[in-house]
Amino acid sequence: MTTPSTYGLSSEARNLHWLLTNLVEEVPGIQSVAVVSSDGLLLLSSDPERAEESRQARPAKGPRGSAADLATIVSGIGSLTVGAAKLMESGGVKHTMVAMDEGSLFVMSISDGSLLGVHGSAECDMSVVAYHMALFVGRAGHVLTPELRSELRKSLESETTGSGR
């Protein structure tokens, strides 16, 4: 995993970067992680620089290797499951797991409609991934304020713009 630069970020933003890096490095089988705002914008990613790379050549792992693609998928699944829960009058959605032949996708609510999305390999233990995602959500949920979301968006935009030039 390429660790994004945290220079100039607030301590809360640096802490979230650290939590995300720790999640990816400590949990076997995680290929890509994205934190997405309620409006579908990527806030934090395990591979922010791969968004630009995926436009040039298809990397080996992840949804087209792009953090932006994973964010789009996570946002779409989050929206779909929230709509389903409303139609079924079953309360809020806590998490969604999709098991595929060659991988898995996990989506978990963080706060205020923000989502944590994880793309895992076929070999990953879904219960271990879900447990560590819940730990991340528990630690990140209370600090993911509107101000921090704005800071993370700006930071990610400047990284992606800077890496393409």
Side-chain angles (χ1 to χ4, degrees), residues 82-115:
V82 165
K86 284 180 184 175
L87 285 172
M88 295 176 184
E89 298 177 356
S90 298
V93 177
K94 294 179 182 179
H95 63 268
T96 304
M97 290 189 233
V98 180
M100 299 169 275
D101 288 340
E102 296 183 27
S104 46
L105 177 66
F106 308 85
V107 179
M108 191 172 286
S109 298
I110 298 177
S111 64
D112 297 337
S114 297
L115 301 166

Side-chain angles (χ1 to χ4, degrees), residues 21-45:
T21 300
N22 204 34
L23 176 66
V24 173
E25 290 177 354
E26 297 296 318
V27 181
I30 290 182
Q31 294 181 341
S32 186
V33 179
V35 175
V36 182
S37 67
S38 60
D39 54 359
L41 295 175
L42 181 63
L43 297 176
L44 194 60
S45 171

